[in-house]
Amino acid sequence: MNETVEIKIGEESFKLPVIVGSYQEKGIDISKLRGMSGYVTLDTGFKNTGSTRSTITFIDGEKGILEHRGYRIEQLAENSSFLEIVYLLFHEKLPNTAELAEFEQAIKDHTGLPAQIRDVLNALPDDLHPMGMLSVMLNSLPGFMPESLDSWTDEAIRWKTIYTLLANMPVMAAYIYRRQKGLEYIDPDTSLGYVENFLNMTFGSADAKLVESLDTLLILHADHEQNCSASTARFVGSSHVNLFAAIGAANNALWGPLHGGANQKVLEMLEAIRQDGGDADKYIQKAKDKSDPFRLMGFGHRVYKNYDPRARVIKKYVDQVLDSLNLEDPVVDIAKGLEQAALNDEYFAQRKLFPNVDFYSGIIYRALGIPVNMFTVMFALGRLPGWIAQWKEMRENGEPIGRPRQIYTGETTRDYVELGQR
Ligand code: CMC
């Protein structure tokens, strides 16, 4: 028998179906509640609301577990390559050798942007944040591929749009880096691997150690179920706008400091602490002080009430990457000290606040030579396949346009008063 729950409103009772997930997590389907009772549910910030059924990514926030299509993130990070994960997100299974080769070739075949995209980038204000630059370019792409305005109906156009995005996100990211530095653009070289090509377009060379480290970071960012930017991709895409526009919107959502923009803020915070003498406790006190807007960036998560498994992998990598590059970074000790102080603090323990993916990632990006204001672009590079997979699933499911209800708390009907009489 399918489980139902009964809610009682006044004298009336309403039966609502319970939807059960693969791991027995349960959700009450309230989609018909308003029709039956006149009531809507209210959940600002979606703290308790599932927006969809999804088969892509599973998180158990209490236990600190993250899986894509049933594979644990630790195993994927250890054994896989970024493009294998992209394939997994799109096609629900890991590719075999031939499938992976075909997939990589399709991406290569779509690599390269019209020269005009450089003019678009060059025309932007110098002080525009790299995430803003990326969004402008993403939103310009339909201009070079007008058939993408309907990115769904025709399967060939759908895949052309998807491959164009995947192939050229690294190109756009590299262009942004070169533009910021006032350097000549470097054309993509499709004889190189995906990450290798990105590093080559960025720095003019691609050290094997950097390739491996960055590949792992991209895997760790590939998808994270219904986060703010993925939900944006689904929500904006639900109006049937083209995929480039939905991804541009997701990119803007990621830019915010409470989401992907946190990785830049973490490094700025660690630098500020260093310059202020390195006293972690002082900043822990600030983060706890409700009259102080300061928050410990890279800490806390809506879903994880345990250590973020991605942060655990990245933390392990920090020392490895710095050692292999023969680098020392004074903020590493500050970050570790801050983490320890927070984990031992009652305020953070009570609220189950742990380091998230953004806490240590910036230290690695910086070691790779990525400027701090490009960190969120790196996050976007990794998250792109997740956004596409979420959009694709939303369209495959035939989900309706996203359009929440509200509880109106403003003025009730009143008569218009002529301008001169107010
Ligand atoms: N520093 C200090 N206090 C915090 C922090 C923090 N980083 N995060 C949460 N809290 C407190 C918060 O003040 C609240 O306290 P109280 O119950 O006394 O009012 C409690 O913990 C619950 O926090 P919340 O803001 O209600 O939780 P949320 O689920 O709405 O927000 C969050 C989640 C990630 C936005 C938040 O933890 C935060 O602002 N963290 C810092 C920014 C950050 O690192 N963002 C990256 C998120 S993970 C990767 C990504 O999405 O990009």
Side-chain angles (χ1 to χ4, degrees):
M1 250 258 308
N2 289 340
E3 191 183 346
T4 54
V5 295
E6 208 165 300
I7 66 163
K8 204 160 171 260
I9 304 177
E11 291 306 303
E12 274 191 286
S13 284
F14 305 94
K15 270 202 174 134
L16 299 172
V18 171
I19 309 298
V20 184
S22 306
Y23 286 104
Q24 301 305 307
E25 69 278 25
K26 291 182 178 177
I28 303 168
D29 177 354
I30 53 95
S31 55
K32 301 220 162 46
L33 180 63
R34 184 171 178 275
M36 293 192 289
S37 69
Y39 282 70
V40 298
T41 54
L42 181 63
D43 181 21
T44 308
F46 304 107
K47 290 205 170 196
N48 196 56
T49 295
S51 59
T52 192
R53 300 173 210 210
S54 182
T55 63
I56 304 171
T57 292
F58 170 76
I59 301 176
D60 182 330
E62 273 67 36
K63 295 196 182 128
I65 292 172
L66 168 62
E67 292 178 353
H68 298 310
R69 307 268 189 209
Y71 296 101
R72 288 277 168 110
I73 190 65
E74 294 83 356
Q75 285 189 17
L76 295 175
E78 180 74 30
N79 302 303
S80 206
S81 72
F82 179 59
L83 289 188
E84 277 180 79
I85 305 306
V86 179
Y87 186 99
L88 174 69
L89 294 177
F90 292 174
H91 297 291
E92 305 175 24
K93 63 173 196 114
L94 285 167
N96 62 30
T97 313
E99 287 163 339
L100 183 62
E102 197 185 323
F103 186 63
E104 286 173 347
Q105 191 55 48
I107 293 172
K108 284 178 193 261
D109 290 346
H110 289 79
T111 303
L113 289 168
Q116 229 184 322
I117 200 83
R118 297 177 174 185
D119 300 336
V120 171
L121 182 58
N122 290 337
L124 297 174
D126 292 344
D127 287 337
L128 180 60
H129 189 277
M131 285 297 280
M133 294 185 178
L134 185 55
S135 279
V136 172
M137 284 192 278
L138 285 166
N139 281 294
S140 304
L141 291 180
F144 305 110
M145 211 180 120
E147 67 274 28
S148 69
L149 288 180
D150 178 358
S151 314
W152 186 255
T153 318
D154 182 314
E155 201 180 340
I157 295 174
R158 186 187 320 160
W159 281 103
K160 185 177 172 194
T161 316
I162 291 174
Y163 286 132
T164 300
L165 266 168
L166 271 177
N168 293 297
M169 192 80 156
V171 180
M172 293 186 280
Y175 281 0
I176 295 171
Y177 172 88
R178 309 279 303 175
R179 187 209 184 283
Q180 284 206 120
K181 298 265 174 199
L183 299 167
E184 289 281 307
Y185 297 120
I186 299 176
D187 286 327
D189 176 352
T190 53
S191 70
L192 304 175
Y194 189 80
V195 174
E196 203 182 1
N197 189 21
F198 165 71
L199 288 172
N200 189 58
M201 286 183 288
T202 305
F203 302 121
S205 63
D207 180 280
K209 282 184 211 140
L210 302 196
V211 173
E212 200 191 314
S213 311
L214 185 52
D215 197 87
T216 306
L217 275 183
L218 295 183
I219 292 174
L220 292 169
H221 286 84
D223 188 54
H224 212 233
E225 51 118 307
Q226 307 312 316
N227 56 82
C228 181
S229 57
S231 298
T232 300
R234 290 183 89 119
F235 197 85
V236 172
S238 77
S239 75
H240 294 189
V241 74
N242 67 83
L243 177 59
F244 292 128
I247 298 301
N251 192 64
N252 280 337
L254 188 75
W255 188 356
L258 298 188
H259 191 12
N263 58 11
Q264 173 177 343
K265 294 288 174 206
V266 169
L267 215 101
E268 288 169 358
M269 173 186 78
L270 295 175
E271 268 302 334
I273 298 175
R274 185 177 73 87
Q275 280 164 27
D276 193 21
D279 182 357
D281 275 336
K282 180 174 164 189
Y283 285 83
I284 294 288
Q285 295 314 320
K286 266 169 80 63
K288 288 159 54 173
D289 179 355
K290 295 288 178 197
S291 62
D292 188 328
F294 175 79
R295 277 193 163 199
L296 203 55
M297 299 312 284
F299 252 78
H301 197 276
R302 172 63 60 78
V303 182
Y304 291 121
K305 301 302 163 201
N306 202 326
Y307 214 102
D308 181 335
R310 301 165 301 171
R312 205 185 288 284
V313 177
I314 296 177
K315 185 179 175 188
K316 217 175 67 192
Y317 262 86
V318 166
D319 292 329
Q320 231 170 291
V321 171
L322 292 180
D323 284 351
S324 77
L325 297 173
N326 242 334
L327 287 175
E328 274 183 34
D329 189 335
V331 301
V332 174
D333 287 340
I334 292 177
K336 288 182 179 168
L338 201 58
E339 176 191 339
Q340 215 39 57
L343 294 181
N344 292 332
D345 190 285
E346 182 72 10
Y347 172 99
F348 289 88
Q350 253 176 14
R351 290 168 182 76
K352 299 191 167 76
L353 302 171
F354 292 87
N356 60 49
V357 69
D358 296 316
F359 195 67
Y360 285 106
S361 62
I363 296 172
I364 302 186
Y365 291 138
R366 188 153 82 159
L368 302 184
I370 308 285
V372 177
N373 74 353
M374 286 281 297
F375 287 2
T376 313
V377 170
M378 301 309 295
F379 193 148
L381 200 56
R383 183 55 56 83
L384 175 70
W387 292 334
I388 298 173
Q390 297 286 343
W391 168 84
K392 187 168 154 291
E393 183 180 67
M394 180 274 302
R395 293 301 307 258
E396 277 160 0
N397 289 351
E399 292 181 13
I401 186 165
R403 203 303 184 187
R405 296 270 179 173
Q406 63 165 13
I407 300 293
Y408 175 70
T409 57
E411 295 284 349
T412 52
T413 316
R414 47 184 170 165
D415 277 329
Y416 181 78
V417 180
E418 289 300 332
L419 181 60
Q421 286 162 24
R422 280 173 229 155

